[in-house]
Amino acid sequence: AQSVSQHNHHVILSEAASLELGCNYSYGGTVNLFWYVQYPGQHLQLLLKYFSGDPLVKGIKGFEAEFIKSKFSFNLRKPSVQWSDTAEYFCAVGYSGGGADGLTFGKGTHLIIQP
Amino acid sequence: ETGVTQTPRHLVMGMTNKKSLKCEQHLGHNAMYWYKQSAKKPLELMFVYSLEERVENNSVPSRFSPECPNSSHLFLHLHTLQPEDSALYLCASSQEPSTSGANVLTFGAGSRLTVL
């Protein structure tokens, strides 16, 4: 079965610090990669996605992620975080043609930004 | 509002009750999903309806029963639940069929279920 691993369950940073959240997935052929974010009290929403092309993708609110195929990784980055980035971040993988599995999600990383 | 509406937002039920969760999407999407979100665990895919046909149930206990009467509505019928079933139940929809792997999900706000 496919799996997604997020290395950090809780991250605490100060404002203006740089952020990198790790995500690795199990091999399963062609993949599509996603980061979703859940702000306190709000619904899950898409932050960015990778389907093909440039492995460095940019999303909303200054976030970016890099797909490294050889490492089965899709790490999320932001050069300078803000207090409003406090949220739960989920990495997810969709496997093309691999059946009807929807998306496989990681456990999430709870990010707290201290002012 | 995301275009995916879930009701009720909160539900408390006893182990012998029967209740239903409802999801409605106004996006013209082709696939709908139920996910279970529990603390410190990955989102668990429970059911997928793609083009109105169920394509996966992921070995979910039979006390959870989905229904998809049309492409815009999805229900999750609940009966004789256990306290460990307490969780946030998320509905999502996608334009692409679930088998594409390229399905960008739009989530509802969730139904917080507490089983006493």
Side-chain angles (χ1 to χ4, degrees):
Chain A
Q2 296 94 350
S3 64
V4 177
S5 175
Q6 292 184 239
H7 313 303
N8 311 102
H9 297 304
H10 296 276
V11 174
I12 301 175
L13 295 173
S14 298
E15 277 192 305
S18 64
L19 170 72
E20 180 160 5
L21 300 181
C23 173
N24 287 89
Y25 61 93
S26 60
Y27 176 74
T30 302
V31 294
N32 300 297
L33 300 158
F34 307 81
W35 276 96
Y36 282 82
V37 60
Q38 189 172 31
Y39 296 104
Q42 295 189 29
H43 61 274
L44 270 162
Q45 55 188 286
L46 182 69
L47 198 57
L48 50 77
K49 64 184 186 292
Y50 170 81
F51 287 173
S52 63
D54 188 344
L56 184 62
V57 294
K58 295 188 184 298
I60 59 173
K61 303 185 180 184
F63 285 91
E64 64 179 33
E66 184 175 12
F67 170 49
I68 302 179
K69 189 174 182 179
S70 61
K71 295 185 177 180
F72 305 107
S73 70
F74 190 57
N75 292 354
L76 181 70
R77 299 195 293 252
K78 185 171 183 178
S80 177
V81 294
Q82 300 173 304
W83 176 79
S84 58
D85 293 325
T86 294
E88 190 95 19
Y89 293 80
F90 296 90
C91 182
V93 179
Y95 292 86
S96 297
D101 286 353
L103 297 186
T104 301
F105 284 82
K107 290 185 178 182
T109 297
H110 188 198
L111 175 65
I112 297 174
I113 307 301
Q114 296 176 328
Chain B
E1 283 298 324
T2 66
V4 179
T5 304
Q6 290 187 243
T7 55
R9 293 292 306 275
H10 299 272
L11 177 63
V12 179
M13 59 187 289
M15 293 169 61
T16 58
N17 292 156
K18 290 184 180 181
K19 298 285 185 183
S20 297
L21 306 181
K22 178 182 177 181
C23 177
E24 183 174 0
Q25 60 100 355
H26 310 277
L27 303 168
H29 284 174
N30 293 308
M32 296 186 77
Y33 311 75
W34 281 116
Y35 281 89
K36 178 182 178 182
Q37 185 176 22
S38 305
K40 301 181 181 180
K41 294 176 69 175
L43 267 71
E44 301 172 50
L45 178 63
M46 300 178 72
F47 300 104
V48 181
Y49 279 85
S50 188
L51 301 173
E52 299 179 44
E53 292 187 6
R54 187 195 301 184
V55 294
E56 178 145 351
N57 67 8
N58 258 357
S59 302
V60 175
S62 60
R63 56 185 183 269
F64 295 92
S65 174
E67 178 188 1
C68 186
N70 55 59
S71 61
S72 299
H73 293 85
L74 184 65
F75 295 90
L76 187 63
H77 302 302
L78 317 168
H79 65 97
T80 59
L81 295 190
Q82 305 297 312
E84 60 264 30
D85 296 322
S86 298
L88 183 67
Y89 289 84
L90 295 172
C91 175
S93 67
S94 67
Q95 174 63 44
E96 296 294 327
S98 62
T99 53
S100 74
N103 31 319
V104 176
L105 300 181
T106 301
F107 284 89
S111 293
R112 174 70 63 185
L113 173 66
T114 303
V115 181
L116 301 177

